[in-house]
């Protein structure tokens, strides 16, 4: 499917930028949105704070006036967070929920009427392997990403009669600048996650290519890299072994290893 009209949030860098480039390479029109001011870089077409209802209203107006509709909404923008249950603060929980969950909800709600009217469209929500596999020390991040997985499935059921599909992307660690947004009191956990991201052999371009392949196949749950597929597969097929791995990881975190 080419020649589509695509809106991507968080498209100034990282996976959002890689997805924008991948869509454009196949002939799609892409509206790159991000928090940075439109025109401040060559990579952003429209300023969009995903926590702002006004910004989403402006994005809808822009899409309708420019294209008359939308084929693909990619809710990609998000932040990094987490922390052990007795270390992470309630402010951290509220911050990550407002961005990583309610940002997706706002984007979806904004464009559902358009998709219903068209009787076509695709909603692509970027979650994380953390939405499927839940390691210790990541309660807030796990919870919001699992919620995005659930929201996406619900969206697909609700809009199926209108010819609209919903897809959730669940990658493991890959090299990106997401860690620049990391916030939290649990510095030990932050150091571990930052190392996993920095040392991953997987790039944002790798994930973007796998996402487009998954969309072309019609996959509703896209697990785009082998480490993610192996981890999720272990949970599905050998729950005792999965639990043992997760609890060993939790013990190491507590010991500061």
């Amino acid at each position: 499917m080419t020649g589509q009209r695509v809106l991507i949030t968080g498209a100034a860098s990282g996976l959002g930028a890689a997805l924008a480039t991948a869509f454009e390479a196949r002939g799609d029109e892409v509206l790159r949105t991000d928090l940075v001011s439109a025109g401040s870089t060559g990579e952003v077409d429209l300023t969009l704070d995903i926590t702002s209802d006004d910004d989403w209203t402006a994005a809808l107006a822009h899409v309708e006036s420019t294209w008359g509709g939308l084929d693909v909404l990619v809710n990609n923008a998000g932040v990094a967070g987490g922390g052990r249950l007795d270390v992470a603060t309630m402010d951290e929980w509220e911050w990550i929920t407002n961005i990583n969950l309610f940002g997706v909800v706002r984007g979806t709600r904004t464009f559902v009427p358009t998709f219903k009217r068209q009787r076509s469209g695709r909603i692509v929500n970027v979650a994380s392997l953390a939405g499927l596999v839940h390691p210790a020390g990541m309660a807030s991040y796990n919870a919001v990403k699992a919620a995005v997985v659930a929201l996406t499935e619900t969206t697909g059921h609700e809009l199926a009669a209108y010819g609209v599909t919903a897809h959730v992307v669940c990658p493991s660690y890959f090299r990106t600048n997401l860690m620049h947004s990391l916030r939290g009191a649990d510095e030990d956990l932050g150091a571990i996650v930052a190392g996993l991201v920095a040392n991953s052999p997987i790039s944002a371009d790798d994930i973007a290519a796998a996402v487009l392949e998954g969309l072309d196949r019609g996959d509703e749950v896209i697990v785009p890299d082998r480490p993610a597929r192996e981890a999720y597969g272990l949970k599905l097929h050998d729950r005792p072994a999965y639990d043992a791995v997760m609890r060993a990881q939790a013990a190491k975190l507590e010991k500061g290893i």
Side-chain angles (χ1 to χ4, degrees):
M1 297 180 65
T2 59
Q4 302 173 106
R5 301 160 296 180
V6 184
L7 184 155
I8 302 176
T9 66
S13 60
L15 181 57
L19 285 167
T21 299
F23 275 112
E24 289 169 344
R26 17 191 270 167
D28 296 324
E29 294 184 81
V30 177
L31 180 65
R32 298 180 182 225
T33 75
D34 210 302
L35 265 174
V36 299
S37 300
S40 64
T41 75
E43 299 174 336
V44 176
D45 304 308
L46 184 71
T47 301
L48 173 57
D49 176 353
I50 63 171
T51 68
S52 166
D53 291 329
D54 289 342
D55 278 13
W56 276 111
T57 298
L60 174 62
H62 182 92
V63 165
E64 293 291 351
S65 64
T66 303
W67 289 335
L70 188 69
D71 298 304
V72 184
L73 168 66
V74 182
N75 288 308
N76 163 76
V79 293
R84 284 164 289 182
L85 291 165
D86 55 346
V87 181
T89 67
M90 286 308 302
D91 285 344
E92 292 171 31
W93 275 85
E94 292 174 3
W95 171 73
I96 200 169
T97 301
N98 193 35
I99 297 171
N100 285 7
L101 176 57
F102 291 154
V104 177
V105 173
R106 285 185 169 93
T108 300
R109 282 176 47 82
T110 297
F111 282 98
V112 160
T114 298
F115 289 138
K116 280 186 171 182
R117 184 183 70 247
Q118 295 174 167
R119 303 193 71 83
S120 66
R122 288 191 288 179
I123 298 171
V124 182
N125 296 328
V126 177
S128 166
L129 177 62
L132 305 172
V133 170
H134 312 307
M138 298 288 292
S140 61
Y141 193 76
N142 294 343
V144 293
K145 292 302 186 179
V148 171
V149 173
L151 170 65
T152 307
E153 181 179 334
T154 304
T155 301
H157 297 328
E158 192 168 318
L159 300 183
Y162 295 89
V164 179
T165 59
H167 313 263
V168 66
V169 180
C170 299
S172 65
Y173 299 105
F174 63 95
R175 297 191 308 278
T176 181
N177 63 350
L178 178 65
M179 297 309 295
H180 293 167
S181 67
L182 180 65
R183 181 186 298 184
D186 197 335
E187 295 180 359
D188 291 341
L189 186 281
I192 292 171
V193 174
L196 291 169
V197 170
N199 295 319
S200 173
I202 305 166
S203 70
D205 289 336
D206 295 331
I207 299 298
V211 169
L212 264 61
E213 290 172 3
L215 291 175
D216 288 344
R217 289 192 302 267
D219 295 347
E220 294 181 350
V221 179
I222 302 173
V223 186
D225 58 278
R226 189 172 73 177
R229 290 189 293 271
E230 289 176 348
Y232 188 41
L234 181 65
K235 181 177 183 178
L236 292 176
H237 303 299
D238 192 344
R239 185 56 185 259
Y242 163 81
D243 286 341
V245 170
M246 291 293 105
R247 289 167 189 176
Q249 178 261 336
K252 288 182 178 179
L253 179 60
E254 283 300 306
K255 293 178 181 177
I257 300 176

